[in-house]
DNA sequence: TTACAGATGAACT
DNA sequence: GTTCATCTGTAAC
């Protein structure tokens, strides 16, 4: 398909996450699938940047663990983690090896393969809800920990990122990150202006107290 | 619009 | 052992 515009090269990711993040808006995330229907295609509309050792909100802040090992590897790979015991979230590893920079893919618009996304997300009332939010997005695209470490620059990979049509800077908005308890003031959430597939902002819920007996 | 339950892994004491 | 996390669906205001 010509609209894909070719794979984004690894160099694209080999920069600070907050530089890469806004340039990912409008790009196309391709999810390869078995069967005759061909791949799913998602146009990225919302992302958040996390920057390793200098960013207390990043999974990489306290150093490598079994879960976040992928973040400490080379850029251009997919970091998938399991959160709150019920959702997956997908990041693209940025920066250099050991820097543990990442860009969380928060939301997007399913532009191809929509019936399959609807099948996986029966609760979605409109197509704009199919991948509106990081947990919903991974559900719609059937992304889980088995895809952790996928090289999105590899033409044969199950998940890849294509150039698509990047958003002009004038159509990019930024603000505080969602659901993050630390470094809340850092405006490293980026989204496409006036796009209905962008998730609603939810500030961090300070704490959940167990009910007193 | 705001608040909370829910399930699991990882970090922390 | 305890606390909390890059969240979502549902319910009460």
């Amino acid at each position: 398909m010509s609209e894909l515009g070719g794979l984004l090269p690894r160099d694209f990711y080999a920069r600070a996450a907050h530089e890469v993040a806004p340039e990912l808006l409008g790009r196309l995330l391709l999810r390869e699938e078995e069967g005759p229907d061909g791949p799913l295609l998602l146009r990225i509309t919302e992302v958040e940047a996390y920057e390793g050792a200098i960013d207390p909100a990043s999974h990489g802040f306290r150093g490598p663990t079994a879960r976040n090992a992928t973040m400490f590897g080379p850029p251009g790979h997919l970091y998938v983690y399991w959160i709150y015991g019920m959702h997956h979230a997908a990041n693209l590893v940025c920066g250099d090896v050991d820097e543990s920079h990442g860009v969380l893919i928060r939301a997007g618009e399913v532009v191809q393969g929509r019936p399959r996304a609807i099948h996986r997300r029966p609760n979605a009332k409109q197509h704009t809800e199919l991948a509106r939010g990081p947990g919903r997005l991974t559900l719609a695209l059937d992304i889980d920990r088995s895809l952790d470490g996928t090289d999105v620059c590899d033409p044969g990979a199950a998940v890849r990122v294509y150039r698509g049509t990047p958003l002009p800077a004038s159509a990019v908005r930024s603000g505080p990150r969602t659901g993050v308890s630390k470094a809340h003031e850092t405006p490293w959430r980026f989204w496409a202006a006036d796009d209905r597939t962008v998730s609603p902002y939810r500030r961090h819920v300070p704490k959940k107290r167990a009910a007193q007996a």
Side-chain angles (χ1 to χ4, degrees), chain A residues 82-167:
Chain A
W82 179 241
I83 185 68
Y84 290 114
M86 49 194 111
H87 306 292
H88 290 281
N91 292 248
L92 292 170
V93 178
C94 296
D96 209 344
V97 174
D98 285 338
E99 285 193 325
S100 73
H101 283 209
V103 175
L104 171 67
I105 316 284
R106 286 195 58 86
E109 177 187 10
V110 179
V111 293
Q112 187 180 121
R114 203 172 279 176
R116 276 163 293 161
I118 292 171
H119 179 70
R120 295 189 192 113
R121 294 219 59 241
N123 287 340
K125 296 183 178 59
Q126 313 169 65
H127 82 86
T128 53
E129 292 182 11
L130 288 172
R132 190 187 203 184
R136 295 162 159 185
L137 185 151
T138 53
L139 226 192
L141 295 191
D142 192 25
I143 290 174
D144 61 29
R145 277 234 80 181
S146 70
L147 291 171
D148 182 54
T150 297
D151 180 356
V152 299
C153 304
D154 174 357
V159 176
R160 318 194 282 273
V161 184
Y162 287 84
R163 293 177 188 278
T165 307
L167 281 193

Side-chain angles (χ1 to χ4, degrees), chain A residues 10 45 59 68 109 130:
Chain A
R10 198 173 311 284
T45 59
H59 284 179
N68 67 21
E109 177 187 10
L130 288 172

Side-chain angles (χ1 to χ4, degrees), chain A residues 44 46 124:
Chain A
I44 299 172
E46 183 185 359

Side-chain angles (χ1 to χ4, degrees), chain A residues 3-4 26-30 41-43 111 160-162 164:
Chain A
E3 67 189 20
L4 290 177
R27 308 296 189 172
L28 295 171
L29 189 70
L30 182 149
L41 225 44
L42 182 94
R43 182 177 157 266
V111 293
R160 318 194 282 273
V161 184
Y162 287 84

